[in-house]
Structure formats: C-alpha cells, structure tokens
Amino acid sequence: MEKQQKSGHLVLVMAPFQGHLTPMLQLATILHSKGFSITIVHPELKSLNPSNHPEFTFVSIPDKIKESQLSDEDLADKLKESLVSTVDVAGSLQSLNKNCTAPLQKCLENILHSHHHIVAVIYDTLMFCAQTIVNDLGLPGITLRTSTATTLLLFPELPQLGEKELMSGIESPELQALQLQRLRALIVQNPTQMMMEVRAAFTNAMKFSSAIIVNSMEFLELEALSKVRQYFPTPIFIVGPLHKLAPTICGSLLTEDDKCISWLNKQAPKSVIYVSFGSIANIDKQELIETAWGLSNSKQPFLWVVRPGMVCGSEWIESLPNGFEESVGERGCIVKWAPQKEVLAHAAVGGFWSHCGWNSTIESICEGVPMLCRPFFGDQLLNTSYICNVWKIGLELQNLERGNIERTIKRLMVDMEGKDIRKRAMDLKKKAALCLMEDGSTSCYFNGLIKQITVSET
Ligand code: UDX
C-alpha cells in the first residue's frame, strides 16, 4: 500500500495498554482514510501485530521496562492500593517516559530524515515525554486523551484550578450530581513527591500541546467541558466514539473467543448480563465466588469474561466454587476474552456489569446497554458517577456480596426500575448516533482537527 499520501505524514505514539492502544489505532485508521500517511511508534513492552495493519509503518522503541514492572496484573495491584494512583504506578509511568525519551527522539529524527516533514506528532497522554521532544524539534504535538475531558478537572496541578475555582460556578445540576469535589479529594489524598511530579509532567505536556483530542462525545459532558475550557486554552476536539468511526479495526492483544456469539444466538432478546472488567483490573478469590453465586442465583443468563490471571493467585477459573457449574448449566458462558463490541451490539445482551473503563463505557452507550458499575480505580470512579448520577443509565454495585449482587442484577434486568434505566440508555444511543451524522458534533470536531493539523503544517 502507498504510504506517502497527499495530506502529509503523522507520527502517533502509543501507550502500552489495551485501553489506550485501541483508540489510538482507531484514530490512526480514521486519519489514514483522510489521506495522511502514518507511522505508529510504540514501546516494545506491548505491540500489535504489524502484519494486521499493513497501511501503517510500525516502529518499536526500547523502554527497558520489564514485563513484571508494568504488566497489567502488577499495575492493577498497585492501582487498587489507593484507588487512584500510587507511588509505584507514578514511578512506572515516570520510568516509561524517562526510558522512552532518547529512543523516541532518535526515532522522530530518523523519520524526519526519511520523510523530510512530519505534520504533527499525536501522543497518548500517558506518553507525556513526547511533548518535550517535539518542542525541541519544533514540531506540533497533539495529545490523545482516551478518557473523558472531565478527568482534566481532577488534576490539582492545573494552573489556577484550586478548590475555590473548581467549585465556583458548579451550580449546574449536572456538575453537582457528578460529585467532582469528592472524586478530586480521592485523587489529592496523600500525594507523594513522585505522584506530584508525574501529574505535573502530564498536565504540563497538555498545556504545551497544540491540541487535545478526546475520545468522547460532546453531549455527554457538555457542562464539564465548558469548565475544562476555562482552564485549558488549548483547542479541544471531542471526536468519539472512535470505535464507530473505525469499526473494522481489531486491536485486541488477546485472542477473542467467538464461541460466545453462537451461545448468545441461542438466548432470548435482552436477557443476558455481560460481565467484563477490562484488561487491567484483578479480583480476589472471594470476589470470584460471590460473583459466581450472585450470577447463578439471579437466574439470568450470563456471559462472563475471566482473563487468564485476572483472579489473584489463580491461573483461570479453577477457584470457582463446587456446585456452581451444575447449578448454572447452559445458562452461563465463561470466556477468556470476548469480541466485546460485537457482544454489546448483540440483541440478546440486556445489561453490562462493568469496571467502567472509558472504552467499555462508551461502547455500552453506543449500543444502548444499561450498566452495573463496579469501578476499581482511576477514571472508572468518575465514569461510574456519570453513569449512575448524571446520565442515570446504570446502578452501582457497592456491596459485592452474593445476595446484593443477585438483587442488583434483578433490579437492572427485570424490575420496573431497570426498564426506566434501559429507556434512558436507548436515548443516549440515539444521541450518540447523531454525533456521527455529517452535521453532528463529532464530524464537526474532526473537520476542525484536520484543519488544525493542516494549518500547523503551513
Ligand atoms: C484502562 C483503564 O482501566 C480505563 O479506566 C481507562 O479508561 C482506559 O485504560 P481497561 O481497563 O482495559 O482500560 O478498560 P477499557 O477502557 O474499558 O478498555 C477495554 C477494552 O478492551 C475495550 O475496548 C473492550 O472492548 C476490550 N475488551 C474487553 C474486549 O475486546 N474483550 C474483552 O473480553 C474485554
């Protein structure tokens, strides 16, 4: 395939995590379809199979991060300790950025030599070292936020964004319902020097970037967005849902098990609860057992993703309780990794019990699937607050005991309360579809983004 195209050359810098590399790959696909040629630079820790994406040039850079230092499992344990962030996570991100700085700089210089010109470098916000490098090279740096724009309000290192400023003007019901103050308090509690440094580097990079791209939809966070804009003069482009703009892209690092689709085909419409906690979160054996009995006792059919290693101290599902399989029979299907977007779009799926990672949240919204929220860390807490308090398209599972799980599943899947929630979820689905129309907000932002990239070139 022709790699040098008419709109110029873009370099995209990925972060080595499933929830981050998929939206970057989707963005690459869309920009490629607009005529840009693309090089994807990624830390060698996690990489996609380049032969599945022959339209891009892939460059791997050494990160000197051992799998054990930044593996999903290890990261999940560290993140769980303090809900939001820890010294170790901050340390790992700092090491990743420190170790990638020189190789990324060299890589960009090599690309400049061969292509003579790079119109912009688009980097994941976690790869904040990229901004310093592009500043030195005189290239425009654009950052991709794979979560909501609202998360930017949670960082205390934002210039002029103290508690007083954050709260002033938060009289809108939407922002009040979101409980930003409570979530921010969780983030700022007991910061270490390392955490403050990483957050400062992160927000600093965003300040110097020439644009911020967000994989969200404007209508979902309109109120917060106007607040974000007060503190970030940088142009913000809300271009989601990227997975709907690049639907054929599969960026899974694990193999999707398609057998669950034939199982779904045999289930009644909207009867199945789909359970998945994304690519990082871990649970302990007790939670596995309570989840198993909660699902069994709810009497609803379920499709459950248990990643190998997701249950601490187990290889896979060998810790499931005795009698569980017999009690469930054909009513349950457990897989290691599912084709999630296809699952959520399936007519049999009526609810999504999720950790509320942003990709899962936005994928669920686009299919009108109501959610049961079990957040673990980071932006999942904010997403849960949006889902349950602002959009009201889900219920939070606060107590992970089997009786409560059973009752909450029934509230969502069977009760009148669930019917209202489903109706609101379907309304959001319709609004999401409108964003993608020619005059919808996403299309307009995309045109603006392309213009911005092209203008910075001239
Ligand atoms: C991480 C963070 O946890 C999340 O909070 C942040 O918003 C993004 O980075 P992750 O935990 O993996 O992401 O969750 P999520 O953002 O939901 O991304 C998971 C992706 O994996 C989704 O695109 C989902 O479709 C996909 N997936 C998940 C599958 O394809 N199959 C599965 O079985 C499970």
Side-chain angles (χ1 to χ4, degrees):
M1 184 167 297
E2 179 66 278
K3 300 227 161 128
Q4 191 66 50
Q5 300 182 350
K6 62 177 171 17
S7 300
H9 194 73
L10 285 168
V11 177
L12 273 53
V13 183
M14 276 182 171
F17 306 105
Q18 179 72 73
H20 288 255
L21 59 81
T22 312
M24 187 61 98
L25 190 64
Q26 289 157 348
L27 181 66
T29 304
I30 301 157
L31 291 170
H32 182 263
S33 75
K34 307 272 182 201
F36 293 96
S37 63
I38 291 185
T39 297
I40 294 181
V41 182
H42 60 90
E44 64 189 358
L45 181 70
K46 289 266 161 66
S47 55
L48 294 156
N49 183 352
S51 62
N52 290 340
H53 311 281
E55 66 278 32
F56 308 132
T57 306
F58 284 86
V59 180
S60 162
I61 51 170
D63 46 46
K64 295 195 212 133
I65 303 282
K66 287 192 224 82
E67 187 69 32
S68 61
Q69 199 181 339
L70 205 61
S71 73
D72 290 348
E73 192 176 333
D74 188 50
L75 191 68
D77 283 346
K78 290 169 181 168
L79 284 163
K80 236 180 345 190
E81 284 162 24
S82 79
L83 285 179
V84 179
S85 184
T86 69
V87 196
D88 286 341
V89 171
S92 300
L93 284 180
Q94 204 174 44
S95 303
L96 180 70
N97 278 274
K98 199 163 149 256
N99 299 347
C100 285
T101 300
L104 181 57
Q105 169 130 18
K106 191 151 182 280
C107 165
L108 290 177
E109 285 167 356
N110 287 344
I111 298 172
L112 274 173
H113 282 137
S114 58
H115 284 269
H116 310 296
H117 193 57
I118 297 173
V119 286
V121 174
I122 302 180
Y123 60 94
D124 190 293
T125 41
L126 296 186
M127 298 298 292
F128 42 80
C129 63
Q131 187 60 51
T132 320
I133 301 169
V134 297
N135 289 346
D136 287 350
L137 295 174
L139 295 170
I142 298 177
T143 188
L144 171 66
R145 186 88 191 113
T146 58
S147 191
T148 54
T150 311
T151 48
L152 299 177
L153 292 176
L154 299 178
F155 284 90
E157 284 74 13
L158 277 186
Q160 315 106 7
L161 187 49
E163 207 58 30
K164 216 169 88 221
E165 291 77 14
L166 178 71
M167 291 309 128
S168 71
I170 297 210
E171 63 282 333
S172 88
E174 176 176 317
L175 290 180
Q176 284 195 353
L178 198 52
Q179 301 174 4
L180 278 178
Q181 215 165 357
R182 179 180 66 84
L183 296 168
R184 205 168 125 104
L186 281 174
I187 283 195
V188 294
Q189 71 190 353
N190 310 323
T192 61
Q193 189 59 30
M194 181 88 83
M195 281 153 78
M196 288 196 295
E197 276 172 28
V198 167
R199 291 201 300 239
F202 175 92
T203 40
N204 224 14
M206 262 185 290
K207 238 175 31 196
F208 284 103
S209 63
S210 48
I212 302 173
I213 303 174
V214 187
N215 183 21
S216 179
M217 291 172 269
E218 190 183 48
F219 77 92
L220 288 176
E221 42 174 343
L222 206 52
E223 303 268 348
L225 201 52
S226 65
K227 195 98 192 146
V228 172
R229 289 207 161 99
Q230 283 174 27
Y231 296 99
F232 275 97
T234 317
I236 301 176
F237 298 97
I238 314 287
V239 298
L242 290 171
H243 72 282
K244 285 289 180 188
L245 291 163
T248 54
I249 280 299
C250 174
S252 271
L253 294 167
L254 297 173
T255 307
E256 296 174 346
D257 185 343
D258 290 331
K259 84 163 188 275
C260 59
I261 300 295
S262 2
W263 178 86
L264 280 175
N265 289 341
K266 293 185 214 133
Q267 311 304 320
K270 307 235 178 301
S271 65
V272 174
I273 177 122
Y274 168 59
V275 188
S276 169
F277 300 149
S279 65
I280 300 177
N282 285 353
I283 60 173
D284 58 25
K285 286 184 186 164
Q286 190 54 35
E287 187 170 337
L288 179 86
I289 292 169
E290 294 304 311
T291 303
W293 285 125
L295 286 168
S296 168
N297 298 343
S298 77
K299 306 286 184 240
Q300 291 296 131
F302 62 87
L303 168 58
W304 187 4
V305 177
V306 183
R307 294 184 330 268
M310 181 181 113
V311 183
C312 302
S314 298
E315 275 185 28
W316 190 38
I317 51 172
E318 61 276 17
S319 314
L320 279 174
N322 289 337
F324 168 73
E325 276 180 52
E326 296 72 10
S327 87
V328 164
E330 290 296 301
R331 188 162 54 78
C333 176
I334 301 182
V335 293
K336 293 180 175 167
W337 191 252
Q340 180 164 302
K341 290 181 266 302
E342 203 182 333
V343 166
L344 288 169
H346 198 285
V349 173
F352 182 11
W353 177 355
S354 170
H355 70 310
C356 302
W358 183 241
N359 295 290
S360 293
T361 304
I362 205 167
E363 287 161 13
S364 203
I365 288 173
C366 287
E367 304 308 334
V369 178
M371 300 176 79
L372 269 194
C373 305
R374 191 276 185 244
F376 287 74
F377 50 74
D379 66 333
Q380 298 159 16
L381 307 174
L382 176 69
N383 302 340
T384 297
S385 192
Y386 260 123
I387 293 163
C388 301
N389 306 330
V390 179
W391 308 321
K392 299 191 168 64
I393 56 161
L395 298 172
E396 184 168 2
L397 249 183
Q398 275 164 338
N399 172 354
L400 298 166
E401 172 276 324
R402 65 190 76 180
N404 186 50
I405 293 175
E406 176 192 341
R407 279 189 298 280
T408 319
I409 291 177
K410 285 181 179 155
R411 278 172 65 199
L412 188 78
M413 303 293 287
V414 188
D415 293 356
M416 206 49 218
E417 184 185 8
K419 293 206 168 58
D420 292 340
I421 294 174
R422 184 177 312 284
K423 190 183 163 303
R424 286 192 289 273
M426 289 308 289
D427 288 346
L428 278 201
K429 174 182 175 170
K430 284 183 203 139
K431 286 189 181 169
L434 290 178
C435 286
L436 298 169
M437 313 259 299
E438 212 181 311
D439 56 351
S441 62
T442 289
S443 312
C444 295
Y445 275 121
F446 241 113
N447 293 338
L449 174 65
I450 305 291
K451 210 182 265 172
Q452 156 112 15
I453 294 174
T454 323
V455 166
S456 60
E457 184 190 10
T458 50

